[in-house]
């Protein structure tokens, strides 16, 4: 009997041990997305317990679980999935992106709402819809994509600030520009100073934009007060999502050419008509020269194939507690008119971290350096490129190797273009526009910083508080130079000028929001906002004329000009 009892105890111990081992076996696997790429940072939880783990950089995980246990997989931007542990020790999972949730939410004033709950007039343009368009700044990409929004520019010069009108003009004294808000930061708009045209919206890399919401009517813009008289444009930049670490490189290279040029007379018709006008007044002919010389001044001041290129490198990712997005951008754009061009360098970092279940901290920072080379764009300026080029004579050349400058400049009256074989000089006192464009200088260098830090606090599931401090600072260095030999600077023996602008705007927002859904059909939303904004703009200018030497065309130099 004792032997049988011992045998029974041994068998019972073996069974208990086997059951214990079965409950504590290690289950492992790989979590990936639809493309087969591993997802790091995915939360793997043993449902109904506090036991859990996360996937590593390669999407691998391991957890102790028993047969029949349910594993719950969750990650930001992905659908939560569950899998039941079977007899196998390997449990792999392909997670699906939660696109439905993203599509239902749109950004509104000081927050976001489900699209079905929005009563105001709001247009949304996704970043993916404009990502393939080759433009130097994002506002050019909105044309024709949002009803009631009109975007125009006065000319084709790179850096020219656009005119943005949302449902017409809503302000009498505050201009026509809408309020532009980037990640909750009200930024400067329009021209930021300097002597070449500068577009403040051109400092934002279009590749960093996730979405653009345009608030158009009173109910949508009311929370911004009088600042929103001309509408509001809300720009949301990209953040990490999808759980995995992702590296993206986007670029485009292309050319731009002018279209719709003026149809001007060629040399044979020009000389014939010009002389007929003189003979009808009883005057002698003045237009002469070879009919084979036919100068196209329009094409001379324009670029047929202006090179335009843009490169953007971004790194992003997320875990169940953090999101991060970093990007580097480089854009080089040649304008279709000489010597206009734009070069932009940009860097952006968007990071947020869930420190506690009730506290999320984050920061967004964008730093850019934009350089513009411009020209005199006055409609009636003698050195305005198109104004001048359309009035030049086709029977005179641009260059003259016998002239000390190498350009065709009149020897008797050096203030105008050379007459060549004609009997008199050109009218309107027009200079040789190519000499002016090649020797005059209009520059603007803009260093821009847009940064914010914020804290999101969950007081109750339906009650949240957010505080955000931000700054937008634009530092602009402008320089112009009028050559003393010919053109605008001849009368003053050369002119040089340098200016500096520091535009800084501080903003502090405190937002208390209550959002409660009752009986699945009734939603109560209340938002209280306290906002403080301070703005300071300071500038400095120095200039002079009577240059001692035409080589002083880089910056102000002591003793290089008269007073």
């Amino acid at each position: 009997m004792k032997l049988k009892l011992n045998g029974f105890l041994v068998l019972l111990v073996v069974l208990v041990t086997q059951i214990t081992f079965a409950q504590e076996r290690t289950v492992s696997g790989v979590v990936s997305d639809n493309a087969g790429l591993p997802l790091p940072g995915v939360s793997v939880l043993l449902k109904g317990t506090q036991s859990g783990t996360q996937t590593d950089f390669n999407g691998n995980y391991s957890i102790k679980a028993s047969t029949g246990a349910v594993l719950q997989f969750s990650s930001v931007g992905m659908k939560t999935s569950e899998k039941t542990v079977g007899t196998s020790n390997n449990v792999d999972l392909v997670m699906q992106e939660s696109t439905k949730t993203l599509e239902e939410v749109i950004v509104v004033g000081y927050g976001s709402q489900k699209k079905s709950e929005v009563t105001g007039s709001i247009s949304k343009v996704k970043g993916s819809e404009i990502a393939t368009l080759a433009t130097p700044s994002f506002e050019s990409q909105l044309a024709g994509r949002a009803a009631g929004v009109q975007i125009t520019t006065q000319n084709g010069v790179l850096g020219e600030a656009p005119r943005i009108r949302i449902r017409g003009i809503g302000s009498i004294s505050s201009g026509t520009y809408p309020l532009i808000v980037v990640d909750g930061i009200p930024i400067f708009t329009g021209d930021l100073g300097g002597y070449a045209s500068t577009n403040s919206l051109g400092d934002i890399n279009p590749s960093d934009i996730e979405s653009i919401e345009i608030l158009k009517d009173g109910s949508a813009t009311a929370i911004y007060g009088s600042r929103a008289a001309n509408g509001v444009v809300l720009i949301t930049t990209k953040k990490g999502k999808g759980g995995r670490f992702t590296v993206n490189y986007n670029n485009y290279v292309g050319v731009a050419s002018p279209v719709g040029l003026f149809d001007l007379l060629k040399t044979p018709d020009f000389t014939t008509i010009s002389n007929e006008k003189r003979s009808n007044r009883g005057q002698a002919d003045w237009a002469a020269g070879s009919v084979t010389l036919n100068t196209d001044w329009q094409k001379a001041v324009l670029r047929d194939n202006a090179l335009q290129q843009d490169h953007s490198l971004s790194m992003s990712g997320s875990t169940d507690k953090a999101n991060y997005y970093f990007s580097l951008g480089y854009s080089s754009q040649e304008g279709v008119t000489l010597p206009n061009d734009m070069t932009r360098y940009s860097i952006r970092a968007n990071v947020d971290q869930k420190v506690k279940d009730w506290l999320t901290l984050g920061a967004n920072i964008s730093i850019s350096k934009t350089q513009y080379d411009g020209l005199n764009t006055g409609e009636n300026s003698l050195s305005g490129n198109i104004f001048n080029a359309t009035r030049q004579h086709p029977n005179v050349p641009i260059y003259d190797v016998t002239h000390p400058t190498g350009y065709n400049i009149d020897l008797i009256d050096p203030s105008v273009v050379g007459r060549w074989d004609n009997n008199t000089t050109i009218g309107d006192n027009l200079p040789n526009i190519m000499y002016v464009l090649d020797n005059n200088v209009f520059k603007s260098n803009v260093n821009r910083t847009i940064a914010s830090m914020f804290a999101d606090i969950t007081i109750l599931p339906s009650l949240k508080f957010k505080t955000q401090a931000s700054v937008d600072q634009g530092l602009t260095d402008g320089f112009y130079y009028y050559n003393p030999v010919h053109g605008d600077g001849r009368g003053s023996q050369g002119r040089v000028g340098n200016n500096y602008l520091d535009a800084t705007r501080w903003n502090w927002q405190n937002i208390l929001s209550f959002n409660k859904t009752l009986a699945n059909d009734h939603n109560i939303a209340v938002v209280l906002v306290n906002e403080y904004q301070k703005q300071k703009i300071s500038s400095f200018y120095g200039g002079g004329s009577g240059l001692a030497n035409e080589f002083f065309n880089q910056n102000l130099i002591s003793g290089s000009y008269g007073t």
Side-chain angles (χ1 to χ4, degrees), residues 101-123:
T101 302
L102 296 175
E103 291 175 353
E104 289 183 347
V105 176
I106 64 174
V107 178
V108 296
Y110 300 101
S112 60
Q113 282 183 315
K114 290 184 179 179
K115 189 173 183 179
S116 59
E117 298 173 354
V118 175
T119 58
S121 179
I122 300 177
S123 294

Side-chain angles (χ1 to χ4, degrees), residues 77 79 97-104:
K79 293 181 180 179
E97 188 171 356
S98 181
T99 56
K100 182 178 179 181
T101 302
L102 296 175
E103 291 175 353
E104 289 183 347

Side-chain angles (χ1 to χ4, degrees), residues 137-383:
S137 55
F138 77 90
E139 82 282 348
S140 303
Q141 303 170 340
L142 297 180
R145 287 175 169 77
V149 180
Q150 181 184 25
I151 301 173
T152 59
T153 54
Q154 298 183 49
N155 51 55
V157 175
L158 292 175
E160 189 71 24
R163 293 176 178 175
I164 303 177
R165 292 180 178 175
I166 300 175
R167 290 190 171 180
I169 301 174
S171 173
I172 297 176
S173 60
S174 299
T176 62
Y177 235 99
L179 176 66
I180 308 292
V181 181
V182 180
D183 292 331
I185 309 169
I187 66 170
F188 286 107
T189 55
D191 195 301
L192 279 180
Y195 291 106
S197 299
T198 57
N199 178 12
S200 60
L201 302 183
D203 300 324
I204 301 172
N205 186 353
S207 298
D208 290 334
I209 296 176
E210 178 70 25
S211 66
I212 301 173
E213 275 83 9
I214 302 171
L215 315 186
K216 295 182 285 187
D217 67 354
S219 63
T221 63
I223 197 169
Y224 287 103
S226 60
R227 295 178 299 171
N230 295 309
V232 183
V233 177
L234 303 177
I235 301 170
T236 304
T237 59
K238 294 179 179 178
K239 294 176 175 59
K241 61 182 180 179
R244 63 182 182 272
F245 174 76
T246 304
V247 178
N248 287 319
Y249 170 70
N250 298 311
N251 80 301
Y252 69 77
V253 178
V255 294
S257 300
V259 295
L261 301 182
F262 292 100
D263 187 11
L264 303 177
L265 294 175
K266 302 296 188 292
T267 293
D269 293 331
F270 171 78
T271 54
T272 299
I273 293 175
S274 297
N275 290 330
E276 282 182 356
K277 289 166 58 179
R278 300 272 292 186
S279 62
N280 289 338
R281 297 197 297 264
Q283 298 174 336
D285 293 347
W286 70 270
S290 172
V291 295
T292 60
L293 176 59
N294 191 47
T295 303
D296 191 334
W297 288 87
Q298 273 191 111
K299 287 190 175 181
V301 301
L302 300 174
R303 292 187 177 106
D304 279 334
N305 295 295
L307 179 63
Q308 302 191 345
Q309 57 178 318
D310 184 89
H311 304 270
S312 180
L313 175 67
S314 66
M315 294 159 282
S316 62
S318 67
T319 66
D320 60 331
K321 293 184 180 295
N323 294 280
Y324 54 90
Y325 175 86
F326 304 98
S327 74
L328 296 171
Y330 168 74
S331 182
S332 176
Q333 310 272 337
E334 288 185 344
V336 294
T337 177
L338 293 170
N340 182 221
D341 61 47
M342 183 201 83
T343 304
R344 179 184 62 227
Y345 307 88
S346 65
I347 181 171
R348 171 172 287 277
N350 294 343
V351 180
D352 62 78
Q353 174 73 40
K354 190 173 184 179
V355 181
K356 300 287 185 180
D357 290 338
W358 53 271
L359 176 63
T360 300
L361 301 178
N364 301 321
I365 183 169
S366 170
I367 301 174
S368 63
K369 180 179 179 62
T370 310
Q371 302 169 341
Y372 296 94
D373 286 312
L375 66 159
N376 190 341
T377 57
E379 294 180 358
N380 296 316
S381 302
L382 296 182
S383 62

Side-chain angles (χ1 to χ4, degrees), residues 388-427:
N388 185 299
T390 55
R391 288 163 175 77
Q392 290 286 352
H393 297 160
N395 64 336
V396 299
I398 297 173
Y399 304 101
D400 181 3
V401 294
T402 64
H403 194 275
T405 63
Y407 291 81
N408 180 23
I409 297 175
D410 198 72
L411 295 175
I412 300 175
D413 183 2
S415 65
V416 298
V417 66
R419 68 190 73 190
W420 209 243
D421 292 330
N422 295 324
N423 297 327
T424 185
T425 57
I426 194 170

Side-chain angles (χ1 to χ4, degrees), residues 348-531:
R348 171 172 287 277
N350 294 343
V351 180
D352 62 78
Q353 174 73 40
K354 190 173 184 179
V355 181
K356 300 287 185 180
D357 290 338
W358 53 271
L359 176 63
T360 300
L361 301 178
N364 301 321
I365 183 169
S366 170
I367 301 174
S368 63
K369 180 179 179 62
T370 310
Q371 302 169 341
Y372 296 94
D373 286 312
L375 66 159
N376 190 341
T377 57
E379 294 180 358
N380 296 316
S381 302
L382 296 182
S383 62
N385 59 342
I386 299 300
F387 178 92
N388 185 299
T390 55
R391 288 163 175 77
Q392 290 286 352
H393 297 160
N395 64 336
V396 299
I398 297 173
Y399 304 101
D400 181 3
V401 294
T402 64
H403 194 275
T405 63
Y407 291 81
N408 180 23
I409 297 175
D410 198 72
L411 295 175
I412 300 175
D413 183 2
S415 65
V416 298
V417 66
R419 68 190 73 190
W420 209 243
D421 292 330
N422 295 324
N423 297 327
T424 185
T425 57
I426 194 170
D428 296 330
N429 296 318
L430 293 176
N432 186 322
I433 185 61
M434 286 306 299
Y435 181 90
V436 173
L437 295 178
D438 289 342
N439 289 274
N440 286 358
V441 177
F442 291 84
K443 286 183 176 293
S444 295
N445 294 321
V446 182
N447 294 298
R448 188 87 175 270
T449 300
I450 303 174
S452 68
M453 297 182 66
F454 65 87
D456 274 324
I457 301 172
T458 302
I459 303 172
L460 297 171
S462 57
L463 184 63
K464 296 183 179 180
F465 174 75
K466 179 179 180 179
T467 181
Q468 174 176 281
S470 63
V471 63
D472 177 14
Q473 183 181 52
L475 304 175
T476 305
D477 178 21
F479 174 74
Y480 80 88
Y481 164 79
Y482 286 147
N483 185 274
V485 175
H486 184 67
D488 304 278
R490 176 173 171 77
S492 58
Q493 296 181 338
R495 181 177 292 275
V496 66
N498 210 164
N499 69 2
Y500 180 79
L501 176 72
D502 181 353
T504 305
R505 176 182 291 173
W506 297 271
N507 186 274
W508 181 26
Q509 300 173 2
N510 295 290
I511 306 167
L512 183 65
S513 59
F514 175 82
N515 199 316
K516 184 73 173 179
T517 301
L518 304 176
N520 296 324
D521 293 322
H522 307 283
N523 186 66
I524 301 175
V526 179
V527 178
L528 299 177
V529 179
N530 169 260
E531 184 171 0

